Structure formats: C-alpha cells, structure tokens
Amino acid sequence: MRRSLRILLPYLLRYKRNLTLGAAALLGRNLLAVSLPLLIAAAVDSLTAGFRFSIVLWLCAGLVGLSAAKGICQYWMRVILIGISRDIEYDLRNDLFGHLVKLSQDFFARYRTGDIMARATNDLNAVRMMLGPGLMYSTDTIVTAVLAITVMASVDWLLTLVMLLPAPLVTLAVMVFGRRIHRRFERIQELFSDISSRVQENISGVRIIRAYVQEQSELQQFEMLNQDYIRQNLRLAKISGLFMPALHGLIGLTFLLVLWAGGYRLLTGQITIGNFLMFNVFMGMLIWPMIALGWVVNLVQRGNASLFRLHGVLSDSPSIAPPSAPRELPEPLAGAVEFRNVHVRYSAVHAVRGVTLSIPVGATVAFVGHTGSGKSTLLQLVPRMLDPDSGAVLVDGIDLREVSPSALRRQIGFVPQETFLFSATLAENIAFGVKSASEEEIRRAADLAGLTPDVEGFPAGFQTMIGERGITLSGGQKQRTAIARAILRDPRILILDDALSSVDTLTEERVLRGLSEIMRGRTTILVSHRVSTVRHADRIFVIENGAVAEEGTHAELLSLKGYYADLHLKQQLEEELQAI
Ligand code: ADP
Ligand code: MG
C-alpha cells in the first residue's frame, strides 16, 4: 500500500483543492447520516413519554431535511472524488504515452505490443477504479464506522461491544478472500495481455496467415487462450461469489446478536426503546459499508496489481537518454562520422566487433556484406538509435553520448531496412516530422525519390490514403516513400539501410542520381547488396562478422579479389544472363 501511495502521491497532490472539497462533502455526508438515527431515537423516546402530533410532524420534517442534506453531500462527494480519478487516469495515460515514445528499442523488444496495449487499457482502468470508488468508499466506510461506533458506545458500550464481536471475522474473511482474489485477478490480467498480443499479431500478420493457410490453427490457438481466459474468470467468479454470502452470513449474525443482547437490555430496562431502535438503524447503516469494504478490497487489490504493472513501464528509463548537460551540436552539422573501435553486443550476439573507420564530410560511403554481418547495427549507431557497448561514435568530432539524441536526429535522414508508413495520406507520410512542408517541397522530395510516376497512377495523387503500414503500396513504393520522407528533412547526413532493395535497377539508378545531386557536400551512408548501388561510392566497406574485412573504392576492391570482387562477378553474370 505504501509503495503504491508513493507512486500515486504526485498525481493526487495535483488535485489538492478538489480532494479537500471532496473530503469535506464526505465528512458532511457522514455527520448527517449519523445524526439521523439519533433523531429517530430522540423522537421515539419522547413519543413513548407521551404522544403529541406536533412531535410526529417535527420528526418527519427533520428526517426529510437531514436526508435531503445528506443526499446533496453524497452527490458532491461522488462527483468530486470520482472526477479526480478520471483526471488522474487522463494524466497517467498521457504520461504513459509520453514515456512510451521516449523508450529505446530494447524496451519494445522486451514487451509485446499487446502487453503494452493491455497496460494502457485494462490496467489504467483498474487504477482508476482503485483511486475513484476504491479510495472514496474505503474512506467513507472508515468514517461511517468510527462515527457510528462512537455514538453507539456513548449510549451503551456493552451492547456496542457485543455488536462488534463478529467484526474481526469480517476482517479475516475479507483478508483471506482478498488475497486469493488478487492472485486470480493477476492471472487474468496476464492472460488478457496474451490475448491482446495474439489479436494484434494476427491482425498485423493477417496476410502471412492467409498465405500459409493457418486460419484454422490460429483460430484453434486463439480459442484455447480464450477458453483459458473463461476458466480463469470463472475461478475468480467462484471465489468472489463465495465472498458475498459469507459476508452476508456474518452480517446476519451481527443482527442476531443485537436483537438478542439489545432485546435483553431493553426488557431489563437498561436502554430505552428509542436507543434500541437506534442500534438497529445503525446496524442497517453499517451493512452497506461492510459490503462496500469487500468490494473495495477487490478494487484496491486489482488497482495495486495494475499500478505496479504500469509502474514497471513508467519506471523503465530509456537506455538512450539525453545526458544531463548535453553538448551543443553545430547546426547545421558538417557531417563527418567516425567509428572508434566500436563494439555492440545484443544479449546473445556480438554483432559489431571493433569497427574503426571515418567518413569525411560530404562523402558517400557504402557498406556491403552478408546478411547478419552487422551492417544495420552499424547504421543505427549514427542517429543514436543504439549506443555502442564500448568504443565511440563521433559526429563532427563529438561523442554522440554527449549530445541530445533528438538534436542529432533532427539533422539526420534515416531510412531503416524495414520501412514504416502510417495510415495517413501519402503526402502526410512524406511530410512526417516536417510540419511546415509545402506541397511543392513534398512534390520535389517525391520526385527525387523517383515516386512521381507512381503517384500519377494513384487515384487521389498525394492525397491517397495509405493503409496501415502501407499495406496498399508495393515494396518498392514503400521504400521510395520512406526515402522521400528522409530527403524532405533536408538532412546533413542521409542513411539508407538497403532502402532500394525492392526497387528495379533502372529506377534505382535514377533515384541514386537524384540523391547524389541533392546530397552534394553532405554525407551519405548506404547499405546494399547490389554492386550497382554502391560502385560509385567514394569508399566501400565490406563487413564480415561485425568487422571491416575489405575497404576501398570500387576499383581498389576489385583488384583485391575478395568478397567484393566475387559479388561483382556474380552480379555481372546474372545481368548478362538476363540480357540473353
Ligand atoms: P545486417 O544488417 O548486416 O543483416 P544486423 O546488424 O541486422 O546485420 O545484425 C547483426 C547481428 O545481430 C545478427 O546476428 C542479428 O541476428 C543480430 N541482431 C540484430 N538486431 C538484433 C536485436 N535487436 N536483438 C538481438 N540480436 C540482434
Ligand atoms: Mg540489415
């Protein structure tokens, strides 16, 4: 409890004023509620002393007035306190999203999309229920109980004591059941995550599933998960279902005790009829809080579990963060890139092993090599999507760990190996990240990326809606859209990770010619498996097993007669075969 309070306190403190108002309404409601039975007792006792009609009238008026005032307080208590929980839910959701966009790649490798979605929906909801009804009813219950018991004890402490005898049993039942309910609920939340992930993966991969005719097997697996979900929910329902009757049984027992002990004390003249009646009314008043307590315990348990799950994400700090005192990057950058004995390890793979190389300002360099040799990893170091485990990557002589990643990335055009398009129009996709782009600039970027002939064929030109992840475009069109996006940023350093792999050689040549024009005096880093793409680069690096195996110009590498010369020969033969 204390830990979750520490997490939530900053949020709660933002609503201090409303919390005070809500607490005042809650206290008012309780004071009025407790005075009702007192009024009844006083009225009944004065009636037994001697009947007068005016007393009945006053009694009625008083009861109506008190009840109305209590109702008004109750209304405001709910509106204000539940309102706060909605506000905090809003804040938490914003914080969660704000945090998610900051987290580095390793986080998204650890969490599945469905898990994250479950946190943003189910868990957030559970936290809100804990903060709203949970906090409100538990405070309300405690205040009601304290007030009612104080009043009752001042009238007849012995009877109060008898009445409270089953209370420890209630607490015990709530604790025992609560713990079980909590465990089962956690399991259900985990399962829900699994189901969300599964649905998300199936929707994203729907084309693969159809192509491999896996619909039935996916359905079966989904059904199994769903069955398990039902089973676990039933388990929870069973125990929750036991909880309520147990509670009601204990409440009945309490009533029995009051009737028995109270009746005895009434007969022996130790309390008045009015007071006996008052005890019964108080008992009735305490039933709801006792039931609410059971419900609230569930809410708080669930909320707590969810809060820690949320906190797990919120406290995951981005592994690539701006340093506390970032160094200013020159703007614009000159664009010299240097790798100094760089090593990168993923959990199981030593992907980059001691790469040292430098790329002068304005040069075009290319990396070639087998898949899995570490090319993409090397490129990701430049916009600081990754940090090296040892060694350093420098831009214009500044170690990238000393600068703010966003300031760096603003000056880099990065086209990753796997392009991503948003479900928006083509123009919006190209202008992503450059809010002020004019239509003319978008057109020019698209033209340079060789996209113009394709756009002319689209029904709505640049305003064509692209399906989610660009599902309506061909691979080559997607890649060129991504290139146009990178060009539009007017980058000082352009990085293309195999970004022309799905483009035919003719178009590729045209795109490269366009690029070399606008990238004149700027740095371009290419990865490709095609000699035709890289042959005009100022310098070519052959990467093998995470290290530089060969380097030089096209001509120099050919004379080395190594991997590059082989690759060249093979592709030349292929070309000749195709020409036949
Ligand atoms: P290339 O781009 O040359 O194909 P990569 O840089 O993508 O090579 O990968 C280099 C090695 O690192 C490969 O063995 C690959 O399996 C591994 N690798 C790449 N990315 C990750 C990752 N996010 N987590 C773990 N291993 C990775
Ligand atoms: Mg790669």
Side-chain angles (χ1 to χ4, degrees), residues 172-237:
L172 193 74
V174 166
M175 269 168 55
V176 168
F177 278 103
R179 207 171 304 143
R180 298 232 166 127
I181 287 171
H182 170 68
R183 270 204 297 270
R184 293 188 184 181
F185 183 72
E186 274 222 307
R187 176 88 194 97
I188 288 175
Q189 289 296 80
E190 276 163 24
L191 260 177
F192 184 79
S193 268
D194 287 347
I195 291 181
S196 305
S197 292
R198 190 113 214 134
V199 170
Q200 190 264 332
E201 273 173 21
N202 270 284
I203 293 172
S204 304
V206 68
R207 296 206 280 191
I208 300 292
I209 291 169
R210 296 230 176 99
Y212 285 77
V213 205
Q214 291 303 302
E215 294 98 326
Q216 276 312 319
S217 110
E218 285 296 319
L219 254 174
Q220 261 165 20
Q221 286 185 37
F222 186 73
E223 195 171 318
M224 260 158 54
L225 264 181
N226 233 345
Q227 289 278 3
D228 202 17
Y229 188 62
I230 292 179
R231 236 188 335 269
Q232 297 295 340
N233 265 304
L234 281 178
R235 259 163 54 90
L236 180 66

Side-chain angles (χ1 to χ4, degrees), residues 71-91:
I72 291 170
C73 281
Q74 188 156 340
Y75 170 78
W76 283 111
M77 170 185 94
R78 287 198 188 167
V79 168
I80 296 171
L81 292 179
I82 303 283
I84 292 175
S85 72
R86 288 282 180 193
D87 285 332
I88 293 182
E89 180 192 19
Y90 168 85
D91 293 345

